[in-house]
Amino acid sequence: MSHVLHAQGLRKRFGATVALDGAGLCLRAGEIHALMGQNGAGKSTLIKLLTGVERPDAGTVELDGRPIAPSSPLEAQREGISTVYQEVNLCPNLSVAENLHAGRYPRRFGLIDWRRVRAGARELLGRLHLDLDVDRPLASYPVAIQQMVAIARALGVSAKVLILDEPTSSLDEGEVQELFAVMRRLREQGMAILFVTHFLDQVYAVSDRITVLRNGTLVGEYTPGELPQAALVKAMVGRDVALAEGRADHAGIAADAPVVLEARGLSRRGALHTVDLQVRAGEVVALGGLLGSGRTELARLLFGLDRADEGTLLLEGARVDLRHPADAVERGLALCPEERKTEGIVAELSVRENIVLALQARRGWWRALPRSRQDELARHYVELLGVRTAGIETPVGALSGGNQQKVVLARWLATRPKLLILDEPTRGIDIAAKQEIMGEVVRLAREGMAVLFISAELEELTRLGDRIVVLRERRKAGELPGGSEGARVLDLIAGHA
Amino acid sequence: GGGEGGGAGDSITVGFSQVGAESEWRTANTRSVKEALAPPEFNLRFSDAQQKQENQIKALRSFIAQGVDVIAFSPVVETGWDTVLQEAKAAGIPVVLTDRAVKVSDESLYATFIGSDFVEEGRRAARWVIEDSEGKPGPIRIVELQGTVGSAPANDRMRGFKEVIGEDDRFVIVRSQSGDFTRAKGKEVMEAFLKAEGGNIDVLFAHNDDMAIGAIQAIEEAGLRPGTDIRIVSIDGVRGAFEAMKAGKLNATVECNPLLGPQLAQLIRDVHAGREVPRRVVVEEGVFTQDQAEAELPNRKY
Amino acid sequence: MATTDPDAQAPLPLHRRMLAHPLFWPLLALALLLLGNGLLNPGFLALEWRDGRLYGNLVDIANRAAPLVLVSMGMTLVIAARGLDISVGAVLAIAATVAAWTIGRMTAGGGTGLAPLFAAIGAALATAALCGLWNGVLVVKVGMQPIIATLILMVAGRGVAQLISGGNILTIYYPPYSFLGTGFLFGLPFPLYVAGALFVVLALLLDRTALGMFIRAIGHNPAAARVAGVRARAITLWLYVFSGFCAGLAGLLVSSNVASADANNAGQLLELDAILAVALGGTALAGGRFSLAGSVVGALIIQALTTTIYAIGVPPQVNYVVKALLVVAVLLLQSPEFRARVRALARRPARGGA
Amino acid sequence: MSAVPLRALLRGGGVARLWRDPRYASLAVTVSLFVAMSVAGGVLYDGFLRPQVFLNLLIDNSFLLIVAVGMTFVILTGGIDLSVGAVIAFSTVLLASLVQHHGWHPLPAIGAVLVLGTGFGALMGVLIERYRLQPFVVTLAGMFLARGAATLVSVDSIGIDHAFHVAVASLRIPLGGRTSISAGALIALLVVAVGALLAAKTRFGRTVYAIGGNVQSAHLMGLPVKRTLVQVYALSGFCSALAGVVYTFYMLSGYSLHATGLELDAIAAVVIGGTLLAGGSGYVLGTVFGVLVLGLIQTLIAFDGTLSSWWTRIAIGVLLLAFCLLQRLLARTGPAGGGGHG
Ligand SMILES: Nc1ncnc2c1ncn2[C@@H]1O[C@H](COP(=O)(O)OP(=O)(O)OP(=O)(O)O)[C@@H](O)[C@H]1O
Ligand SMILES: Nc1ncnc2c1ncn2[C@@H]1O[C@H](COP(=O)(O)OP(=O)(O)OP(=O)(O)O)[C@@H](O)[C@H]1O
Ligand SMILES: [Mg+2]
Ligand SMILES: [Mg+2]
């Protein structure tokens, strides 16, 4: 097998942070190559160097044995490298069809042929078995769809190398399988595919080879056969990590634990139909469902981000009318939103400011948290969640994707809420950190906090939930006790009774 | 009225396009015109151009479209009227210019012009300065506060002033800067002049009274006596100028009379009736000095 | 992050920290302007104590800049929260006219003492704040784009002011009022105290409360700020009110300075100067990043430019060209990309020569 | 697990999308409000609904229309161009001076003016793109420079009496029924057509929308961001110079104080036409109606003919407010949504 892309000795420094130091990679034609590493290990940076978004401080990149130094993504594209970056990097205001074709429109008499743009778009999406209204602006679709569109765009280029940076973070099982099918097909055609993910089973499902990065340096290149899960985790983290213990104390909630939040007949047109829900103090309610089943909508209604058309909301037994998220925050609710980039982080503010933002909002603008208290809080959570950052004054935008997610989580933990709503909080978070976050959630619940935990991962639902509530097609499909068997949950989610 | 859009009965429908309301002088001018062209004899269509020529042209077009009997307007600038005046002529609507003349290729495009002569005003100011300085030795140092750069009154007043003052080589214009016809700018620029020239200024010539009033404050704040240490002449003859003269702070103002409403009304009557009118009607104006100020002040309507 | 460079963690040397400070380049631009003036005109930088007052061009510049400084501070916060207020000039004119009208009414009615003064100040500031509230409601409640929402008041506001004044310049014959714009306190012009006081209060407010952080959060990512529980819309509304209030204060100073209110010309094109001041001071016009002190320096730069033009005595036709070139020079001085390019150019011949 | 429910749902979302599509809705609202306002004018004032009144809207606003088209592109990228009014003034003065004082034929003079305007715009674009300067301040400096250059060429207004120029200026293309249209208006319509085509159907136009949507993304998608930014300001410069030429046909004069404050009218027209000042969303056709609405407001006031100077200003503000309020209320989703293909 020949080397298509060969990178060696890559070094990149951002200010005081050394993101990469002697990283490398060797991609062969006709393989799917997984790039693994903890949050902040330098995976995305490596990809940015390969594709001309950033210039390396040192090191070489060879394509087909010829050194290349792309100075822009456009140049990398011309060299035959097609990329999906970690955050969706498309234009939200343009239509789906246009996002798929921007920069390479089919033309007629020198003018863009929109008919062919649309047809081409449908064809590209069809490869992923997606059927969208291609004329709608991209922003009107949820992140998961946007991610699929970004992947479809990358597939549209006839490239030698396809790079996918955490393409599956927002997708659920069905979408992931579609993607893998396409990836396998492309592998047959001789394309080299680089693939980043934090889901270990996905790595073993598709990849032919694994490269591991740690702290910006190359740990090694392996085949899945020679590297069992535990060894892979050890290579990434640098020490042994105990994986996936179940929760021992399921259903340990006292039946008379007070109900913190109760929703009765909550409805919103086009979003949710008459959903009832109770969350008790000290209880973790796991909320499951397919993409678009209404989980995020429910969370938004509970938090006052959207207004319900019908139904009532009771907080500790009293009726509440939440007109603004601020109302919810003042009453001790917290929502860690699904869309990190648009609704979560404020990229230009520092880690400290991002962490104290919600707590400060609850206190009001007049009563500022003393600076020493802010520093203390920020340091505490940076350490607790293992946020990798040069310091608490670093702008959050300079953190790696997973670390940004941890900061958003920290913001809400810092408010010490009565009810914590987590909408897919572990998205893009590495395996070790995930363990810690889930441990923290359980610990907080034991201290009496009520938690609503939304997740796309079956394993997380069954492991964490004292109760598992499932939504299907925007209605409540049913409830199962904690510790239920995975298969039963799955059946409820998919609707095969 | 001949036009379909015209008013009731046999009143004369007049479309009048005013430059704007940029100064007290202009407000007085508007008031005078509105009072003179009142119903029942006249049916006035008034339009304010907010100091923009294109707005005036739009207004004239709309007058033509409405079919008024006579059009009168105070042009923002001299040039650029050929096309629209041609349209008026084609529609058979006579045009009376007020306040300033226009340059057109075909003199028959307007019937008559009533108003002041900015160049002449500049000359008068200069003549007053020369008279005032009789017997004094040179060099006599003059500072000039110009109007808005490029505006017709500023250009013409400067030209007239230079033309006359240039004939006497005792005078030097040491500083000249725009004060945008406003009190605030007049004060600010004068402050800078005083700082730059020290006490070395003999005469101030301001293109309008407002700038002079602003400059007077600057002079006082610098510890000098306006009207005495620095002789001051300005143009327009608004009420504020007379007050300043009465207080001995302004030496002279060259009148530029805005109250031409009655004369304009008469011209419009004549033009509408098809009578012969002179091509140029001059408004009565003079130069006022401090000794006349007290007597004249109560007569000032603006 | 893998490792952190040890030498990069050591505190930067003083000159490096100075260069990195966001106020450094605006201040340098101001200093260069003043120095240039000093070279052309040796008396320019002189300060002199006369009759218990401080005299000199520097005092004049600061004094003249006071209204712009005030307006720029309000504008800074509005822009930081992703807004824009182009009605400030008109609001200034309204406030000035209301003040002059109130004084005219009260003194004609036999009002004496300081009552007319305080009535005028109160009426003008209240009206100005109301104008700001109007803008804020259009932007926040109705959801109009800020430039259009404030354009309405920009156009109509002068009309309202002229309606009050009857199209005349209202002259104020009431000496106590003149103190605001022309009075001296401890040897310095009174407007400096007004601008200074507002600056200090605002700086303290932004520093000691969470307001600054909230405004930056709103400016950078309004959606995220909302989800975090920041009452973004309410805050934005109040920022417009504050901007109106600042314009009102400026209106008091301007009308007091010339003892008259000119509804048509007061504050003409002030919105452009204010936005320019804000931008020169390092605030991002797209929202988020802002610097209050920077805007003050920006306003001083603009006034220094104007004074420079008067001082060097160029003919008025050339005013605009000089101003344009100086503005571009100041902008380029502040652009890191431009400085990098200049450094690269400077290095190349040096290397070739060696 | 299968994702079938999602797909079914997505298909469902496509039903009746034309009705709900905010992109067309906001344009439709703007157009209907324009019609409603015209009808109101017709009820209030005699002779208002004559065809020539509406043709005059085009004739009298031809130069505004031309700059507004250029401005639309600039605003779509999220930028702004404050220099347009001053560039118009400079173009008129230079053109008039070349023809009257230097004996040039108008045609080469027009060519020179257009080249200069385009170059000036490109220069501002380079400053903005290369040195990361804010468009607002760069074009504000550009405005000072162009005005200043105009006064340097001549402080006085210069009348143009060259036979060719006069002929073009007085040219009226009859449209039957005693109505006619000027050459300037025709040029403006041509600019609109080319602008709409450029925005909707060329790579350049679509890159403009992409930049307005998200610059980083546009860059990562491999679009020519830098080049397009410079081109956008060059285009605006060209449109301003062309508007200056049309201005000389309209006025037959060159004057340094022409078109003062026109930049604000142009920006207002673009924004009223539904373009987001933040960039990324809007239409050239919307801008046309923005210009027409501004013109209509002025025409209404002229037909009224009883307003004093200050009431004129207040009336403009009130009409603008009424229009924008209704626009917001009717198109509840607002001018959000995408940069469509039209
Ligand atoms: N088919 C769709 N078309 C447009 N928007 C959708 C669609 N489905 C969902 N959305 C929007 O995406 C967001 C998430 O949707 P929802 O709450 O229904 O999904 P969910 O069950 O949380 O699934 P997930 O968050 O995993 O996508 C909501 O804002 C919703 O309005
Ligand atoms: N623009 C930047 N400025 C400063 N530091 C940066 C920048 N981009 C990345 N870094 C730093 O470089 C390191 C590597 O980041 P990178 O995004 O490559 O991590 P990653 O392996 O992709 O992590 P994740 O799994 O969370 O996506 C991080 O510590 C991050 O803070
Ligand atoms: Mg990453
Ligand atoms: Mg969701």
Side-chain angles (χ1 to χ4, degrees), chain D:
Chain D
M1 211 188 291
S2 131
V4 171
L6 172 67
R7 294 195 187 104
L9 193 138
L10 292 178
R11 246 192 313 271
V15 177
R17 85 159 192 267
L18 258 184
W19 288 106
R20 285 192 286 117
D21 195 328
R23 292 174 294 176
Y24 305 110
S26 94
L27 193 60
V29 165
T30 308
V31 176
S32 353
L33 276 176
F34 175 78
V35 172
M37 243 162 112
S38 314
V39 172
V43 172
L44 287 173
Y45 310 113
D46 289 336
F48 191 90
L49 287 180
R50 270 188 256 166
Q52 189 59 45
V53 171
F54 289 87
L55 288 175
N56 281 354
L57 276 186
L58 267 184
I59 296 173
D60 293 332
N61 293 296
S62 48
F63 41 88
L64 181 58
L65 194 49
I66 295 171
V67 285
V69 169
M71 184 74 81
T72 307
F73 284 87
V74 175
I75 292 184
L76 279 174
T77 63
I80 202 157
D81 187 353
L82 294 178
S83 72
V84 293
V87 172
I88 289 184
F90 173 72
S91 304
T92 64
V93 174
L94 183 66
L95 182 56
S97 161
L98 287 177
V99 172
Q100 295 298 122
H101 300 163
H102 301 279
W104 287 38
H105 187 272
L107 281 179
I110 287 173
V113 161
L114 292 181
V115 168
L116 223 61
T118 313
F120 184 70
L123 185 72
M124 292 192 297
V126 168
L127 285 179
I128 290 166
E129 185 276 308
R130 182 155 311 159
Y131 300 124
R132 304 274 173 104
L133 302 179
Q134 309 203 46
F136 191 97
V137 274
V138 171
T139 57
L140 184 62
M143 163 177 154
F144 294 149
L145 193 64
R147 270 288 163 217
T151 51
L152 280 183
V153 175
S154 163
V155 283
D156 292 306
S157 74
I158 308 170
I160 303 176
D161 55 14
H162 192 281
F164 170 83
H165 225 79
V166 174
V168 178
S170 47
L171 188 67
R172 285 288 177 278
I173 297 101
L175 298 176
R178 291 176 59 204
T179 59
S180 62
I181 196 167
S182 69
L186 277 188
I187 296 177
L189 288 177
L190 192 71
V191 169
V192 167
V194 172
L197 206 68
L198 211 57
K201 292 217 158 195
T202 65
R203 183 182 156 125
F204 164 76
R206 302 321 296 174
T207 305
V208 165
Y209 279 92
I211 292 174
N214 189 334
V215 203
Q216 277 90 24
S217 292
H219 182 64
L220 290 180
M221 283 162 93
L223 300 177
V225 172
K226 295 180 177 187
R227 171 158 48 98
T228 306
L229 272 178
V230 176
Q231 284 169 342
V232 157
Y233 287 92
L235 176 68
S236 181
F238 171 82
C239 284
S240 309
L242 184 62
V245 172
V246 168
Y247 217 94
T248 60
F249 291 140
Y250 188 68
M251 305 275 200
L252 282 177
S253 75
Y255 184 31
S256 61
L257 291 183
H258 271 331
T260 45
L262 192 90
E263 53 281 349
L264 211 60
D265 290 338
I267 295 167
V270 173
V271 177
I272 290 171
T275 300
L276 281 185
L277 202 61
S281 162
Y283 300 94
V284 170
L285 205 61
T287 298
V288 174
F289 279 91
V291 170
L292 291 181
V293 165
L294 287 184
L296 192 68
I297 288 178
Q298 286 210 332
T299 310
L300 279 171
I301 286 167
F303 265 81
D304 183 87
T306 61
L307 297 175
S308 66
S309 302
W310 32 98
W311 277 112
T312 301
R313 286 176 163 173
I314 297 174
I316 294 176
V318 168
L319 288 173
L320 207 57
L321 173 69
F323 182 86
C324 295
L325 271 182
L326 286 173
Q327 197 182 28
R328 290 286 316 163
L329 288 179
L330 295 180
R332 252 176 308 155
T333 32
H341 312 149

Side-chain angles (χ1 to χ4, degrees), chain A residues 38-41 214-215 236-237 382 385-390 399-400 403 406 430, chain C residues 1-2:
Chain A
Q38 275 188 283
N39 295 132
R214 186 167 72 229
N215 284 351
M236 279 160 42
V237 182
V382 162
L385 302 179
V387 180
R388 288 172 176 240
T389 169
L399 265 52
S400 79
N403 284 307
K406 291 182 197 169
D430 69 47
Chain C
M1 177 202 68

Side-chain angles (χ1 to χ4, degrees), chain A residues 12-15 17-20 36-48 54 86 165-166 196 198 213 216 340 388-390 394-404 428-430, chain C residues 1-2:
Chain A
K12 178 72 188 174
R13 178 173 152 166
F14 296 103
T17 310
V18 180
L20 286 181
M36 303 294 293
Q38 275 188 283
N39 295 132
K43 305 179 292 294
S44 299
T45 306
L46 176 62
I47 288 169
K48 286 181 187 158
E54 307 274 4
Q86 181 167 8
D165 193 352
E166 294 197 33
V196 178
H198 289 294
L213 291 184
R340 173 207 311 151
R388 288 172 176 240
T389 169
T394 311
V396 166
L399 265 52
S400 79
N403 284 307
Q404 294 181 2
I429 287 189
D430 69 47
Chain C
M1 177 202 68

Side-chain angles (χ1 to χ4, degrees), chain A residues 136 140 142 291-297 338 424 474, chain D residues 9-10:
Chain A
R136 269 176 49 183
S140 68
L291 272 181
S293 60
R295 294 162 301 172
T296 297
E297 285 298 344
E338 176 180 35
E424 317 236 2
R474 310 187 167 241
Chain D
L9 193 138
L10 292 178

